[in-house]
Amino acid sequence: MEEYKELPRGLSELVFASLIGTGEMTFSSNGLQTMFYFESEKKKILKRYVYKYKLNEYVKINEKRNQCFIYIPSTYNPIYFRWYDENDRKKVNHKDINLYIVLLSFLLFGYKKLGYVEMRSTVNPYYSKSTAYYLEKLIGTYIDTSQYGFKIFESEKLFVLATQYFSIEEMNEFMSFMNKREKSKIADYLKRYEQRYFKREVDVL
């Protein structure tokens, strides 16, 4: 199958994160279109992301209907066949994703539940088990399937990993995934991190 060149920085991550989530890709007259719905509390995160990577040419947000549309030129049409099988069932192309993309997907499609965080996803059930296994390998903790997508029980693990990639505003969303006990564990982790960092700085001086 024909290979495609890489999408612009920021666009590929958003496309693949949305496909892990509830985004659905279809062919349009000019190429590919990916559409997903988002909850109102995710709107600022999404708009900030589009602004950061200057994606206005590719991404259109319908704020009244909480819809996001991502438009990709026909040059990238082969992407569809890497994420959908011959029966048009959506799967996850493991070669296209990394830890950052998975975390971005949790950021956009994740919701706090009692005892776990659920990421809503429309990956076909036929591929859900293998996808959960691969997400688990990237994150480093158990990921299970759910009726509406995937769930992770160690939300503090998401927070710690996300500190490598996301701003304070986005980290607040990851913080909202945690209960009081988990937030206490994170506070202890950050305190130990600050102490190690301060000691390292003193040793250098």
Side-chain angles (χ1 to χ4, degrees), residues 138-199:
L138 283 174
I139 294 177
T141 189
Y142 179 62
I143 303 287
D144 198 3
T145 57
S146 70
Q147 182 180 357
Y148 300 106
F150 304 98
K151 54 186 178 183
I152 180 172
F153 299 92
E154 295 185 62
S155 55
E156 67 270 24
K157 180 78 171 183
L158 288 177
F159 184 92
V160 172
L161 292 172
T163 57
Q164 306 173 59
Y165 304 104
F166 295 98
S167 67
I168 292 177
E169 291 84 359
E170 293 157 338
M171 291 308 302
N172 286 334
E173 182 68 12
F174 282 104
M175 182 69 78
S176 72
F177 293 158
M178 295 185 288
N179 58 35
K180 188 176 180 179
R181 179 186 60 82
E182 291 166 334
K183 289 177 181 178
S184 178
K185 289 173 64 176
I186 287 296
D188 290 341
Y189 166 82
L190 293 176
K191 185 177 181 180
R192 290 195 302 271
Y193 175 83
E194 289 174 355
Q195 289 172 344
R196 289 198 301 269
Y197 181 80
F198 179 74
K199 183 179 185 304

Short mmCIF file of all heavy atoms in Angstrom, two decimals, residues 138-199:
data_model
loop_
_atom_site.label_atom_id
_atom_site.label_comp_id
_atom_site.label_asym_id
_atom_site.label_seq_id
_atom_site.Cartn_x
_atom_site.Cartn_y
_atom_site.Cartn_z
N LEU A 138 2.12 1.10 26.57
CA LEU A 138 2.61 2.48 26.48
C LEU A 138 2.54 3.19 27.82
O LEU A 138 3.47 3.90 28.21
CB LEU A 138 1.81 3.25 25.43
CG LEU A 138 2.14 2.98 23.96
CD1 LEU A 138 1.16 3.72 23.05
CD2 LEU A 138 3.56 3.41 23.63
N ILE A 139 1.44 3.01 28.54
CA ILE A 139 1.24 3.74 29.79
C ILE A 139 1.95 3.06 30.95
O ILE A 139 2.40 3.73 31.89
CB ILE A 139 -0.28 3.89 30.08
CG1 ILE A 139 -0.91 4.79 29.01
CG2 ILE A 139 -0.52 4.48 31.46
CD1 ILE A 139 -2.41 4.96 29.15
N GLY A 140 2.06 1.73 30.89
CA GLY A 140 2.76 1.02 31.95
C GLY A 140 1.89 0.63 33.12
O GLY A 140 2.38 0.41 34.22
N THR A 141 0.58 0.56 32.89
CA THR A 141 -0.34 0.11 33.94
C THR A 141 -1.55 -0.53 33.27
O THR A 141 -1.80 -0.31 32.08
CB THR A 141 -0.78 1.27 34.85
OG1 THR A 141 -1.49 0.76 35.98
CG2 THR A 141 -1.66 2.26 34.12
N TYR A 142 -2.31 -1.28 34.03
CA TYR A 142 -3.40 -2.08 33.47
C TYR A 142 -4.48 -1.21 32.83
O TYR A 142 -4.96 -0.24 33.43
CB TYR A 142 -4.02 -2.94 34.57
CG TYR A 142 -5.17 -3.79 34.12
CD1 TYR A 142 -5.00 -4.77 33.15
CD2 TYR A 142 -6.44 -3.62 34.65
CE1 TYR A 142 -6.05 -5.57 32.73
CE2 TYR A 142 -7.51 -4.40 34.25
CZ TYR A 142 -7.31 -5.38 33.28
OH TYR A 142 -8.36 -6.15 32.86
N ILE A 143 -4.85 -1.55 31.61
CA ILE A 143 -5.95 -0.92 30.89
C ILE A 143 -6.97 -1.99 30.56
O ILE A 143 -6.63 -3.06 30.04
CB ILE A 143 -5.47 -0.27 29.57
CG1 ILE A 143 -4.36 0.76 29.82
CG2 ILE A 143 -6.65 0.36 28.82
CD1 ILE A 143 -4.84 2.03 30.43
N ASP A 144 -8.23 -1.71 30.84
CA ASP A 144 -9.30 -2.67 30.55
C ASP A 144 -10.27 -2.06 29.55
O ASP A 144 -10.32 -0.84 29.38
CB ASP A 144 -10.03 -3.05 31.85
CG ASP A 144 -10.82 -4.34 31.71
OD1 ASP A 144 -10.76 -4.98 30.64
OD2 ASP A 144 -11.49 -4.72 32.69
N THR A 145 -11.04 -2.91 28.90
CA THR A 145 -12.09 -2.42 28.02
C THR A 145 -13.34 -2.14 28.87
O THR A 145 -13.49 -2.65 29.97
CB THR A 145 -12.43 -3.46 26.94
OG1 THR A 145 -12.81 -4.69 27.58
CG2 THR A 145 -11.22 -3.72 26.06
N SER A 146 -14.21 -1.30 28.34
CA SER A 146 -15.47 -1.01 29.00
C SER A 146 -16.57 -0.94 27.96
O SER A 146 -16.30 -1.04 26.75
CB SER A 146 -15.39 0.33 29.77
OG SER A 146 -15.32 1.42 28.86
N GLN A 147 -17.78 -0.73 28.39
CA GLN A 147 -18.90 -0.66 27.46
C GLN A 147 -18.73 0.49 26.48
O GLN A 147 -19.15 0.40 25.32
CB GLN A 147 -20.21 -0.49 28.23
CG GLN A 147 -21.45 -0.45 27.34
CD GLN A 147 -22.73 -0.29 28.14
OE1 GLN A 147 -22.71 -0.27 29.37
NE2 GLN A 147 -23.86 -0.19 27.45
N TYR A 148 -18.08 1.57 26.95
CA TYR A 148 -17.98 2.77 26.12
C TYR A 148 -16.55 3.06 25.64
O TYR A 148 -16.33 4.08 25.00
CB TYR A 148 -18.51 3.98 26.88
CG TYR A 148 -19.96 3.82 27.29
CD1 TYR A 148 -20.30 3.56 28.61
CD2 TYR A 148 -20.97 3.91 26.34
CE1 TYR A 148 -21.64 3.40 28.98
CE2 TYR A 148 -22.30 3.75 26.69
CZ TYR A 148 -22.62 3.50 28.02
OH TYR A 148 -23.94 3.33 28.37
N GLY A 149 -15.60 2.19 25.97
CA GLY A 149 -14.24 2.45 25.52
C GLY A 149 -13.21 1.70 26.34
O GLY A 149 -13.20 0.48 26.38
N PHE A 150 -12.34 2.47 27.02
CA PHE A 150 -11.26 1.89 27.81
C PHE A 150 -11.22 2.55 29.18
O PHE A 150 -11.59 3.71 29.33
CB PHE A 150 -9.92 2.09 27.10
CG PHE A 150 -9.90 1.55 25.71
CD1 PHE A 150 -10.10 2.39 24.61
CD2 PHE A 150 -9.71 0.19 25.47
CE1 PHE A 150 -10.10 1.90 23.32
CE2 PHE A 150 -9.72 -0.31 24.18
CZ PHE A 150 -9.91 0.53 23.10
N LYS A 151 -10.73 1.80 30.16
CA LYS A 151 -10.66 2.37 31.50
C LYS A 151 -9.32 2.05 32.15
O LYS A 151 -8.74 0.99 31.95
CB LYS A 151 -11.81 1.89 32.38
CG LYS A 151 -11.98 0.39 32.50
CD LYS A 151 -13.25 0.06 33.29
CE LYS A 151 -13.50 -1.43 33.40
NZ LYS A 151 -14.76 -1.74 34.10
N ILE A 152 -8.86 3.02 32.95
CA ILE A 152 -7.61 2.89 33.67
C ILE A 152 -7.91 3.13 35.15
O ILE A 152 -8.68 4.04 35.49
CB ILE A 152 -6.55 3.90 33.14
CG1 ILE A 152 -5.24 3.76 33.92
CG2 ILE A 152 -7.06 5.33 33.18
CD1 ILE A 152 -4.11 4.58 33.32
N PHE A 153 -7.34 2.33 36.01
CA PHE A 153 -7.64 2.40 37.43
C PHE A 153 -6.63 3.26 38.21
O PHE A 153 -6.93 3.72 39.30
CB PHE A 153 -7.69 0.99 38.03
CG PHE A 153 -8.76 0.13 37.41
CD1 PHE A 153 -8.48 -0.68 36.33
CD2 PHE A 153 -10.06 0.17 37.89
CE1 PHE A 153 -9.47 -1.45 35.74
CE2 PHE A 153 -11.06 -0.60 37.32
CZ PHE A 153 -10.76 -1.41 36.24
N GLU A 154 -5.46 3.47 37.65
CA GLU A 154 -4.44 4.29 38.31
C GLU A 154 -4.39 5.65 37.64
O GLU A 154 -3.52 5.93 36.82
CB GLU A 154 -3.08 3.61 38.24
CG GLU A 154 -2.99 2.31 39.01
CD GLU A 154 -1.58 1.75 39.00
OE1 GLU A 154 -0.66 2.42 39.52
OE2 GLU A 154 -1.40 0.65 38.46
N SER A 155 -5.33 6.53 38.01
CA SER A 155 -5.38 7.84 37.37
C SER A 155 -4.17 8.69 37.71
O SER A 155 -3.78 9.57 36.93
CB SER A 155 -6.67 8.57 37.77
OG SER A 155 -6.79 8.66 39.18
N GLU A 156 -3.55 8.43 38.88
CA GLU A 156 -2.36 9.20 39.23
C GLU A 156 -1.22 8.88 38.27
O GLU A 156 -0.32 9.72 38.06
CB GLU A 156 -1.95 8.95 40.68
CG GLU A 156 -1.46 7.55 41.00
CD GLU A 156 -2.57 6.63 41.43
OE1 GLU A 156 -3.73 6.88 41.07
OE2 GLU A 156 -2.27 5.63 42.13
N LYS A 157 -1.23 7.68 37.69
CA LYS A 157 -0.22 7.32 36.69
C LYS A 157 -0.33 8.22 35.47
O LYS A 157 0.68 8.68 34.92
CB LYS A 157 -0.40 5.86 36.29
CG LYS A 157 0.58 5.34 35.25
CD LYS A 157 1.91 5.03 35.86
CE LYS A 157 2.82 4.32 34.87
NZ LYS A 157 4.12 3.94 35.44
N LEU A 158 -1.56 8.50 35.05
CA LEU A 158 -1.77 9.42 33.93
C LEU A 158 -1.19 10.79 34.24
O LEU A 158 -0.54 11.42 33.41
CB LEU A 158 -3.27 9.55 33.62
CG LEU A 158 -3.98 8.38 32.97
CD1 LEU A 158 -5.46 8.70 32.82
CD2 LEU A 158 -3.37 8.05 31.62
N PHE A 159 -1.45 11.26 35.47
CA PHE A 159 -0.98 12.59 35.87
C PHE A 159 0.54 12.67 35.81
O PHE A 159 1.10 13.62 35.25
CB PHE A 159 -1.47 12.92 37.27
CG PHE A 159 -1.11 14.30 37.74
CD1 PHE A 159 -1.97 15.36 37.53
CD2 PHE A 159 0.11 14.54 38.37
CE1 PHE A 159 -1.63 16.64 37.94
CE2 PHE A 159 0.45 15.81 38.79
CZ PHE A 159 -0.42 16.86 38.58
N VAL A 160 1.21 11.69 36.40
CA VAL A 160 2.67 11.71 36.44
C VAL A 160 3.26 11.69 35.02
O VAL A 160 4.18 12.45 34.71
CB VAL A 160 3.21 10.51 37.25
CG1 VAL A 160 4.73 10.40 37.13
CG2 VAL A 160 2.81 10.65 38.72
N LEU A 161 2.71 10.86 34.15
CA LEU A 161 3.19 10.80 32.77
C LEU A 161 2.91 12.10 32.03
O LEU A 161 3.74 12.57 31.24
CB LEU A 161 2.53 9.63 32.03
CG LEU A 161 2.92 8.23 32.50
CD1 LEU A 161 2.04 7.19 31.82
CD2 LEU A 161 4.39 7.95 32.21
N ALA A 162 1.76 12.70 32.29
CA ALA A 162 1.35 13.91 31.58
C ALA A 162 2.22 15.12 31.92
O ALA A 162 2.32 16.05 31.13
CB ALA A 162 -0.11 14.24 31.88
N THR A 163 2.87 15.11 33.09
CA THR A 163 3.72 16.24 33.47
C THR A 163 4.86 16.45 32.48
O THR A 163 5.43 17.55 32.42
CB THR A 163 4.30 16.05 34.89
OG1 THR A 163 5.04 14.81 34.93
CG2 THR A 163 3.21 16.03 35.94
N GLN A 164 5.18 15.44 31.70
CA GLN A 164 6.26 15.56 30.72
C GLN A 164 5.85 16.36 29.49
O GLN A 164 6.71 16.84 28.75
CB GLN A 164 6.71 14.17 30.25
CG GLN A 164 7.10 13.21 31.35
CD GLN A 164 7.35 11.82 30.79
OE1 GLN A 164 8.20 11.61 29.93
NE2 GLN A 164 6.58 10.85 31.27
N TYR A 165 4.53 16.49 29.27
CA TYR A 165 4.06 17.00 27.98
C TYR A 165 3.13 18.20 28.03
O TYR A 165 3.05 18.96 27.06
CB TYR A 165 3.33 15.88 27.21
CG TYR A 165 4.13 14.63 26.99
CD1 TYR A 165 3.90 13.49 27.76
CD2 TYR A 165 5.11 14.57 26.00
CE1 TYR A 165 4.62 12.32 27.54
CE2 TYR A 165 5.84 13.41 25.79
CZ TYR A 165 5.59 12.29 26.56
OH TYR A 165 6.30 11.14 26.35
N PHE A 166 2.38 18.37 29.14
CA PHE A 166 1.25 19.28 29.09
C PHE A 166 1.42 20.49 30.00
O PHE A 166 2.19 20.47 30.97
CB PHE A 166 -0.04 18.54 29.46
CG PHE A 166 -0.42 17.48 28.47
CD1 PHE A 166 -0.09 16.14 28.70
CD2 PHE A 166 -1.07 17.80 27.30
CE1 PHE A 166 -0.42 15.15 27.78
CE2 PHE A 166 -1.42 16.82 26.37
CZ PHE A 166 -1.08 15.49 26.62
N SER A 167 0.67 21.54 29.68
CA SER A 167 0.71 22.81 30.43
C SER A 167 -0.07 22.67 31.73
O SER A 167 -0.77 21.68 31.97
CB SER A 167 0.11 23.93 29.59
OG SER A 167 -1.28 23.71 29.41
N ILE A 168 0.03 23.70 32.57
CA ILE A 168 -0.69 23.71 33.85
C ILE A 168 -2.19 23.60 33.63
O ILE A 168 -2.89 22.88 34.35
CB ILE A 168 -0.35 24.98 34.64
CG1 ILE A 168 1.13 24.94 35.08
CG2 ILE A 168 -1.26 25.11 35.86
CD1 ILE A 168 1.58 26.18 35.79
N GLU A 169 -2.72 24.32 32.63
CA GLU A 169 -4.15 24.28 32.36
C GLU A 169 -4.61 22.87 32.02
O GLU A 169 -5.66 22.41 32.48
CB GLU A 169 -4.51 25.23 31.21
CG GLU A 169 -4.36 26.70 31.52
CD GLU A 169 -2.92 27.19 31.33
OE1 GLU A 169 -2.05 26.36 30.96
OE2 GLU A 169 -2.68 28.39 31.55
N GLU A 170 -3.83 22.18 31.22
CA GLU A 170 -4.19 20.82 30.84
C GLU A 170 -4.01 19.86 32.00
O GLU A 170 -4.78 18.91 32.18
CB GLU A 170 -3.34 20.39 29.64
CG GLU A 170 -3.67 21.19 28.38
CD GLU A 170 -2.54 21.21 27.38
OE1 GLU A 170 -1.37 20.99 27.80
OE2 GLU A 170 -2.81 21.46 26.20
N MET A 171 -2.99 20.12 32.84
CA MET A 171 -2.76 19.26 34.00
C MET A 171 -3.92 19.34 34.98
O MET A 171 -4.20 18.37 35.70
CB MET A 171 -1.45 19.66 34.70
CG MET A 171 -0.18 19.34 33.90
SD MET A 171 -0.10 17.63 33.32
CE MET A 171 -0.19 16.74 34.88
N ASN A 172 -4.61 20.47 35.01
CA ASN A 172 -5.79 20.59 35.87
C ASN A 172 -6.86 19.58 35.48
O ASN A 172 -7.59 19.06 36.33
CB ASN A 172 -6.36 22.01 35.81
CG ASN A 172 -5.51 23.01 36.56
OD1 ASN A 172 -4.80 22.64 37.50
ND2 ASN A 172 -5.58 24.27 36.17
N GLU A 173 -6.97 19.30 34.18
CA GLU A 173 -7.94 18.32 33.71
C GLU A 173 -7.52 16.91 34.17
O GLU A 173 -8.36 16.13 34.62
CB GLU A 173 -8.05 18.37 32.19
CG GLU A 173 -9.08 17.42 31.59
CD GLU A 173 -10.52 17.79 31.91
OE1 GLU A 173 -10.76 18.91 32.42
OE2 GLU A 173 -11.42 16.95 31.67
N PHE A 174 -6.23 16.62 34.07
CA PHE A 174 -5.75 15.32 34.56
C PHE A 174 -5.97 15.21 36.08
O PHE A 174 -6.30 14.15 36.60
CB PHE A 174 -4.28 15.13 34.22
CG PHE A 174 -4.01 14.75 32.80
CD1 PHE A 174 -3.53 15.66 31.89
CD2 PHE A 174 -4.25 13.45 32.36
CE1 PHE A 174 -3.28 15.32 30.57
CE2 PHE A 174 -4.02 13.08 31.05
CZ PHE A 174 -3.53 14.02 30.14
N MET A 175 -5.80 16.34 36.78
CA MET A 175 -6.01 16.35 38.23
C MET A 175 -7.47 16.04 38.57
O MET A 175 -7.76 15.37 39.56
CB MET A 175 -5.62 17.71 38.80
CG MET A 175 -5.77 17.84 40.31
SD MET A 175 -4.57 16.86 41.24
CE MET A 175 -3.11 17.90 41.10
N SER A 176 -8.38 16.47 37.71
CA SER A 176 -9.81 16.24 37.98
C SER A 176 -10.18 14.76 37.88
O SER A 176 -11.24 14.35 38.34
CB SER A 176 -10.67 17.05 37.00
OG SER A 176 -10.61 16.49 35.68
N PHE A 177 -9.31 13.95 37.28
CA PHE A 177 -9.56 12.52 37.18
C PHE A 177 -9.37 11.81 38.52
O PHE A 177 -9.79 10.66 38.68
CB PHE A 177 -8.62 11.86 36.16
CG PHE A 177 -8.85 12.28 34.73
CD1 PHE A 177 -7.85 12.16 33.79
CD2 PHE A 177 -10.08 12.79 34.33
CE1 PHE A 177 -8.06 12.53 32.47
CE2 PHE A 177 -10.30 13.17 33.01
CZ PHE A 177 -9.28 13.04 32.07
N MET A 178 -8.70 12.47 39.48
CA MET A 178 -8.26 11.79 40.69
C MET A 178 -9.17 12.08 41.88
O MET A 178 -9.76 13.16 41.98
CB MET A 178 -6.83 12.20 41.02
CG MET A 178 -5.81 11.76 39.99
SD MET A 178 -4.11 12.13 40.47
CE MET A 178 -4.09 13.90 40.26
N ASN A 179 -9.23 11.13 42.79
CA ASN A 179 -9.94 11.34 44.05
C ASN A 179 -8.98 11.92 45.09
O ASN A 179 -7.80 12.15 44.80
CB ASN A 179 -10.58 10.04 44.55
CG ASN A 179 -9.56 8.93 44.74
OD1 ASN A 179 -8.42 9.16 45.13
ND2 ASN A 179 -9.99 7.69 44.47
N LYS A 180 -9.47 12.13 46.29
CA LYS A 180 -8.67 12.78 47.33
C LYS A 180 -7.42 11.97 47.67
O LYS A 180 -6.33 12.53 47.84
CB LYS A 180 -9.52 12.99 48.58
CG LYS A 180 -8.84 13.82 49.66
CD LYS A 180 -9.80 14.07 50.83
CE LYS A 180 -9.12 14.92 51.91
NZ LYS A 180 -10.05 15.18 53.04
N ARG A 181 -7.56 10.66 47.77
CA ARG A 181 -6.43 9.81 48.11
C ARG A 181 -5.36 9.87 47.02
O ARG A 181 -4.16 9.97 47.32
CB ARG A 181 -6.90 8.36 48.29
CG ARG A 181 -5.78 7.38 48.63
CD ARG A 181 -6.29 5.94 48.65
NE ARG A 181 -6.85 5.55 47.38
CZ ARG A 181 -6.11 5.14 46.34
NH1 ARG A 181 -4.80 5.08 46.44
NH2 ARG A 181 -6.70 4.78 45.21
N GLU A 182 -5.79 9.84 45.77
CA GLU A 182 -4.84 9.88 44.66
C GLU A 182 -4.14 11.23 44.59
O GLU A 182 -2.94 11.30 44.30
CB GLU A 182 -5.58 9.58 43.35
CG GLU A 182 -6.06 8.15 43.25
CD GLU A 182 -7.07 7.94 42.14
OE1 GLU A 182 -7.78 8.91 41.77
OE2 GLU A 182 -7.17 6.81 41.64
N LYS A 183 -4.88 12.30 44.86
CA LYS A 183 -4.27 13.63 44.86
C LYS A 183 -3.22 13.74 45.96
O LYS A 183 -2.18 14.39 45.79
CB LYS A 183 -5.34 14.70 45.03
CG LYS A 183 -6.24 14.88 43.81
CD LYS A 183 -7.33 15.90 44.07
CE LYS A 183 -8.23 16.03 42.85
NZ LYS A 183 -9.34 16.99 43.06
N SER A 184 -3.48 13.09 47.10
CA SER A 184 -2.51 13.09 48.20
C SER A 184 -1.24 12.37 47.78
O SER A 184 -0.13 12.83 48.10
CB SER A 184 -3.12 12.43 49.43
OG SER A 184 -2.19 12.37 50.48
N LYS A 185 -1.38 11.27 47.07
CA LYS A 185 -0.22 10.53 46.59
C LYS A 185 0.59 11.37 45.61
O LYS A 185 1.83 11.36 45.63
CB LYS A 185 -0.67 9.23 45.91
CG LYS A 185 -1.19 8.17 46.87
CD LYS A 185 -1.75 6.98 46.14
CE LYS A 185 -0.71 6.24 45.34
NZ LYS A 185 -1.29 5.02 44.70
N ILE A 186 -0.11 12.13 44.76
CA ILE A 186 0.57 13.00 43.80
C ILE A 186 1.33 14.11 44.53
O ILE A 186 2.46 14.47 44.17
CB ILE A 186 -0.44 13.60 42.80
CG1 ILE A 186 -0.89 12.53 41.82
CG2 ILE A 186 0.16 14.78 42.05
CD1 ILE A 186 0.22 11.99 40.93
N ALA A 187 0.70 14.68 45.56
CA ALA A 187 1.36 15.74 46.34
C ALA A 187 2.66 15.23 46.95
O ALA A 187 3.68 15.92 46.94
CB ALA A 187 0.42 16.26 47.42
N ASP A 188 2.63 14.00 47.48
CA ASP A 188 3.84 13.40 48.05
C ASP A 188 4.90 13.18 46.97
O ASP A 188 6.08 13.42 47.18
CB ASP A 188 3.50 12.06 48.71
CG ASP A 188 2.68 12.23 49.98
OD1 ASP A 188 2.69 13.35 50.54
OD2 ASP A 188 2.02 11.25 50.40
N TYR A 189 4.45 12.74 45.79
CA TYR A 189 5.37 12.51 44.68
C TYR A 189 6.05 13.81 44.26
O TYR A 189 7.27 13.87 44.09
CB TYR A 189 4.62 11.91 43.50
CG TYR A 189 5.39 11.94 42.20
CD1 TYR A 189 6.34 10.96 41.90
CD2 TYR A 189 5.18 12.97 41.27
CE1 TYR A 189 7.06 11.01 40.71
CE2 TYR A 189 5.90 13.02 40.09
CZ TYR A 189 6.84 12.03 39.81
OH TYR A 189 7.54 12.10 38.64
N LEU A 190 5.25 14.87 44.12
CA LEU A 190 5.80 16.16 43.70
C LEU A 190 6.75 16.72 44.75
O LEU A 190 7.77 17.33 44.42
CB LEU A 190 4.66 17.15 43.43
CG LEU A 190 3.76 16.82 42.23
CD1 LEU A 190 2.63 17.83 42.12
CD2 LEU A 190 4.57 16.81 40.94
N LYS A 191 6.42 16.50 46.01
CA LYS A 191 7.30 16.97 47.09
C LYS A 191 8.65 16.27 47.03
O LYS A 191 9.70 16.91 47.15
CB LYS A 191 6.62 16.74 48.44
CG LYS A 191 7.40 17.31 49.62
CD LYS A 191 6.64 17.11 50.93
CE LYS A 191 7.42 17.70 52.10
NZ LYS A 191 6.69 17.51 53.38
N ARG A 192 8.62 14.96 46.84
CA ARG A 192 9.88 14.21 46.75
C ARG A 192 10.67 14.64 45.52
O ARG A 192 11.90 14.76 45.56
CB ARG A 192 9.59 12.71 46.69
CG ARG A 192 9.06 12.12 48.00
CD ARG A 192 9.16 10.59 47.98
NE ARG A 192 8.44 10.02 46.87
CZ ARG A 192 7.16 9.67 46.92
NH1 ARG A 192 6.44 9.88 48.02
NH2 ARG A 192 6.57 9.12 45.87
N TYR A 193 9.97 14.89 44.42
CA TYR A 193 10.63 15.33 43.19
C TYR A 193 11.33 16.67 43.41
O TYR A 193 12.48 16.85 43.01
CB TYR A 193 9.61 15.45 42.06
CG TYR A 193 10.20 16.00 40.78
CD1 TYR A 193 10.88 15.16 39.89
CD2 TYR A 193 10.10 17.35 40.47
CE1 TYR A 193 11.43 15.65 38.73
CE2 TYR A 193 10.66 17.85 39.31
CZ TYR A 193 11.32 17.00 38.44
OH TYR A 193 11.87 17.50 37.29
N GLU A 194 10.63 17.61 44.05
CA GLU A 194 11.21 18.92 44.32
C GLU A 194 12.44 18.80 45.22
O GLU A 194 13.44 19.49 45.02
CB GLU A 194 10.17 19.83 44.96
CG GLU A 194 9.07 20.27 44.01
CD GLU A 194 7.98 21.06 44.72
OE1 GLU A 194 8.06 21.17 45.96
OE2 GLU A 194 7.07 21.53 44.03
N GLN A 195 12.37 17.92 46.21
CA GLN A 195 13.49 17.74 47.12
C GLN A 195 14.71 17.17 46.38
O GLN A 195 15.84 17.63 46.58
CB GLN A 195 13.09 16.81 48.28
CG GLN A 195 12.12 17.45 49.26
CD GLN A 195 11.59 16.46 50.29
OE1 GLN A 195 11.71 15.25 50.11
NE2 GLN A 195 11.02 16.98 51.36
N ARG A 196 14.48 16.18 45.50
CA ARG A 196 15.59 15.60 44.73
C ARG A 196 16.18 16.63 43.78
O ARG A 196 17.38 16.74 43.62
CB ARG A 196 15.10 14.38 43.95
CG ARG A 196 14.78 13.16 44.81
CD ARG A 196 14.74 11.90 43.96
NE ARG A 196 13.74 11.99 42.92
CZ ARG A 196 12.49 11.60 43.05
NH1 ARG A 196 12.07 11.11 44.20
NH2 ARG A 196 11.65 11.71 42.05
N TYR A 197 15.29 17.42 43.15
CA TYR A 197 15.74 18.43 42.20
C TYR A 197 16.56 19.50 42.91
O TYR A 197 17.62 19.91 42.45
CB TYR A 197 14.53 19.06 41.50
CG TYR A 197 14.91 20.11 40.47
CD1 TYR A 197 15.34 19.74 39.20
CD2 TYR A 197 14.86 21.47 40.79
CE1 TYR A 197 15.69 20.69 38.26
CE2 TYR A 197 15.22 22.43 39.86
CZ TYR A 197 15.63 22.03 38.59
OH TYR A 197 15.98 22.98 37.67
N PHE A 198 16.08 19.95 44.09
CA PHE A 198 16.79 20.98 44.85
C PHE A 198 18.15 20.45 45.29
O PHE A 198 19.15 21.16 45.21
CB PHE A 198 15.96 21.38 46.06
CG PHE A 198 16.63 22.43 46.92
CD1 PHE A 198 16.69 23.75 46.50
CD2 PHE A 198 17.20 22.09 48.13
CE1 PHE A 198 17.33 24.72 47.27
CE2 PHE A 198 17.82 23.05 48.92
CZ PHE A 198 17.89 24.36 48.49
N LYS A 199 18.21 19.20 45.74
CA LYS A 199 19.47 18.62 46.18
C LYS A 199 20.45 18.55 45.01
O LYS A 199 21.64 18.83 45.15
CB LYS A 199 19.24 17.22 46.76
CG LYS A 199 20.52 16.56 47.30
CD LYS A 199 20.23 15.20 47.89
CE LYS A 199 21.47 14.60 48.53
NZ LYS A 199 22.60 14.51 47.58
#
